[in-house]
Amino acid sequence: MRRPVTGEVHVHYHQIYVESDPDNATSGLSEAFAGQSGGLCGAAVPGALWLRTGLHTGDVGFVVEVHDEAPALDPVWEDVVEVSFRPLSERTRLVQWAGEAAWDLDLARTDYRVRYCARGMDEGRELDTRVDGEPQTDSYLLQFWPAPPHPDRVIRQTSQQAAYWHGHARRLPPPPTPEQRAETERLARQAEERAAEERRLHRERWAWGGRLPSEGLRGARESNVRDLLRFDSDLVHALDAAGPDVQRAVALLAARRACEVAGLTDVPWVAEALTALTRERPLPPPFDDRDRLWETLRSDPRVPERTVLEAIPPERAPYRPPARQAEATAGWEWVPAEESGDDVPRRPGLGRLLGTLVPTESAGRSATPAAGVEHGAAVVVRPAVAPRGPHRISQPHFALPAVLAAAGPAPLKAALDAVSHAVHTYGEHYPELLEEIRSACAGKAGE
């Protein structure tokens, strides 16, 4: 007899595992115990064991023994189950939750009988979390010896925890056959490819205000279109559909209104630029050199110092991805990894991020029973950030970029960028501008 593991191991969510196939997907709780009479050592998934503990989080006593033949059962153990197990590779390991630590068990690829013994499960369940300095509450013994496959058995039952989990296992449907599993995984991969494209389109539609963008808008990604979408997505699509003549007219209108509200129309070199825009001529100096333009703006005493509270776009509900459809077969449904809710560890290199099979009646919910058992839900904690008030911005500094944008060679981009800069020039009063732009856009499109 040898002992590859002895001492204490760390458990989390009442779990620790034996794995022998690092390329296989980590199974879910219900799948691991499907068809069994015992609920402490799940062996329904080939090459893996799912071991339950009373303690939720902390160190428990744990020993692994490998024997040449069936060992005698020590009466000290309160709960005892037996299952059959056959490694799927030359490397079988005891693995902590999330792959935090692992121990090689050095098992040959042959059939084994496995005995899982527990003591103090109810005490561990009551303690819940063991911290440094606290006495050990529950301990476990995992024994292997060569033996042909046999159904699992409950040898001894003492604790309430063991009784609860045995009852849970007996209520599960029979496990899927290898053929059903393979077919379900194949369908899941196909469905995931389709779903990925659907999710992409769903998010793109949301980002563009409820409709998919045209190729023209997709080609305008280098513009300020994303900024303008936050303020008025319908206007973005209306500008796209309006045609180049309307787009040019809207760009000129936005630039002119921006300069007016910024008090720049009486500044000679700005007035000359607006005239050049109207006559579709190149912008005069200093608009032909950005560095010179900003220096002129800074140094010209005729430029008024006008400020306004910055433009704040309307609030919008956060994006919510569409619900995914599970793939079902023979009483089981395939649930993607991030939705399975099974406390299944997702470890790089120790299982594909694919998903898990859960009983059909539990689809979309946790396969872990709720009564008396904690469930490891993923919780996103966002730091509290005090909302800031709008800042005051310099209107001339936003108005001049509107003029530069309106002179751009591509009519759609010129309109999008000029309106975007004009919105920020108007600041808190931007709805007045957008109302005029919408009216102009609709009126010119109908001419």
Side-chain angles (χ1 to χ4, degrees):
M1 185 267 289
R2 59 184 179 85
R3 289 181 170 174
V5 179
T6 182
E8 290 190 334
V9 300
H10 191 79
V11 298
H12 197 34
Y13 292 114
H14 312 276
Q15 300 165 21
I16 194 166
Y17 322 88
V18 171
E19 295 186 353
S20 65
D21 186 2
D23 294 328
N24 194 19
T26 305
S27 65
L29 172 62
S30 295
E31 191 181 1
F33 290 91
Q36 292 192 179
S37 60
L40 299 185
C41 180
V45 176
L49 299 175
W50 182 308
L51 308 172
R52 299 288 308 186
T53 63
L55 193 71
H56 180 283
T57 300
D59 293 339
V60 298
F62 208 98
V63 174
V64 178
E65 295 179 349
V66 182
H67 298 259
D68 294 329
E69 58 185 22
L73 176 57
D74 191 329
V76 72
W77 298 106
E78 300 168 348
D79 294 289
V80 182
V81 297
E82 288 185 2
V83 299
S84 290
F85 173 76
R86 183 183 182 88
L88 296 181
S89 72
E90 300 297 333
R91 189 180 189 189
T92 301
R93 301 189 297 169
L94 179 71
V95 182
Q96 286 184 184
W97 191 88
E100 295 167 343
W103 297 262
D104 286 327
L105 303 184
D106 194 23
L107 297 179
R109 295 184 66 179
T110 189
D111 290 316
Y112 290 92
R113 194 63 175 169
V114 180
R115 181 184 295 158
Y116 184 49
C117 308
R119 180 175 57 196
M121 287 196 75
D122 286 342
E123 291 80 357
R125 170 66 180 84
E126 183 176 356
L127 179 62
D128 184 77
T129 301
R130 181 188 176 198
V131 298
D132 292 343
E134 290 185 320
Q136 186 183 101
T137 54
D138 44 339
S139 57
Y140 302 86
L141 172 65
L142 186 65
Q143 298 173 311
F144 295 83
W145 66 91
H150 287 288
D152 78 295
R153 290 199 307 156
V154 176
I155 308 299
R156 185 179 297 159
Q157 176 186 309
T158 302
S159 69
Q160 293 180 358
Q161 279 291 288
Y164 176 82
W165 286 110
H166 295 334
H168 166 58
R170 292 161 190 166
R171 290 190 296 269
L172 293 172
T177 65
E179 293 77 17
Q180 289 170 338
R181 171 187 287 278
E183 177 64 7
T184 301
E185 290 191 9
R186 184 187 68 82
L187 292 174
R189 288 186 179 89
Q190 290 182 348
E192 178 58 29
E193 291 174 1
R194 294 192 301 269
E197 177 62 14
E198 290 172 2
R199 290 194 301 273
R200 185 190 68 80
L201 293 175
H202 187 273
R203 185 175 185 87
E204 185 178 35
R205 187 178 289 108
W206 173 85
W208 289 87
R211 69 186 87 173
L212 291 175
S214 67
E215 290 305 315
L217 283 175
R218 285 197 177 99
R221 290 182 182 274
E222 299 302 319
S223 69
N224 284 7
V225 64
R226 296 291 184 182
D227 177 67
L228 190 56
L229 279 169
R230 300 185 305 136
F231 290 91
D232 194 331
S233 61
D234 288 340
L235 178 59
V236 168
H237 292 282
L239 283 171
D240 175 48
D245 291 340
V246 175
Q247 292 161 1
R248 281 294 178 199
V250 166
L252 175 59
L253 175 62
R256 184 172 295 279
R257 291 292 183 264
C259 290
E260 289 173 354
V261 77
L264 295 177
T265 52
D266 292 332
V267 178
W269 50 274
V270 175
E272 291 175 10
L274 292 174
T275 300
L277 278 179
T278 303
R279 297 175 180 176
E280 299 183 357
R281 296 176 180 174
L283 293 179
F287 286 87
D288 56 347
D289 185 318
R290 285 182 177 269
D291 292 337
R292 183 181 173 190
L293 174 64
W294 296 120
E295 175 59 27
T296 303
L297 179 66
R298 186 191 66 80
S299 60
D300 191 339
R302 294 169 295 183
V303 174
E305 293 184 3
R306 289 194 181 181
T307 64
V308 69
L309 290 177
E310 66 180 319
I312 304 295
E315 290 189 7
R316 186 182 184 190
Y319 174 70
R320 298 187 181 278
R324 300 169 111 180
Q325 299 297 318
E327 298 292 328
T329 180
W332 294 83
E333 291 188 70
W334 186 271
V335 180
E338 64 270 27
E339 297 178 8
S340 62
D342 240 353
D343 293 342
V344 179
R346 305 297 169 189
R347 304 179 297 265
L350 291 174
R352 298 189 302 277
L353 304 184
L354 186 60
T356 186
L357 287 168
V358 299
T360 302
E361 62 272 18
S362 299
R365 303 189 301 273
S366 167
T368 304
V373 180
E374 295 78 358
H375 178 66
V379 179
V380 178
V381 179
R382 304 183 188 280
V385 178
R388 66 171 180 83
H391 293 169
R392 298 200 70 84
I393 59 96
S394 168
Q395 290 178 291
H397 285 80
F398 281 92
L400 295 188
V403 176
L404 291 171
L412 176 59
K413 183 177 184 301
L416 294 170
D417 287 355
V419 172
S420 171
H421 290 302
V423 163
H424 290 288
T425 307
Y426 268 67
E428 60 184 312
H429 307 296
Y430 78 86
E432 302 172 11
L433 169 73
L434 290 184
E435 183 177 356
E436 182 179 5
I437 294 294
R438 282 191 294 268
S439 298
C441 186
K444 290 183 178 298
E447 293 177 359

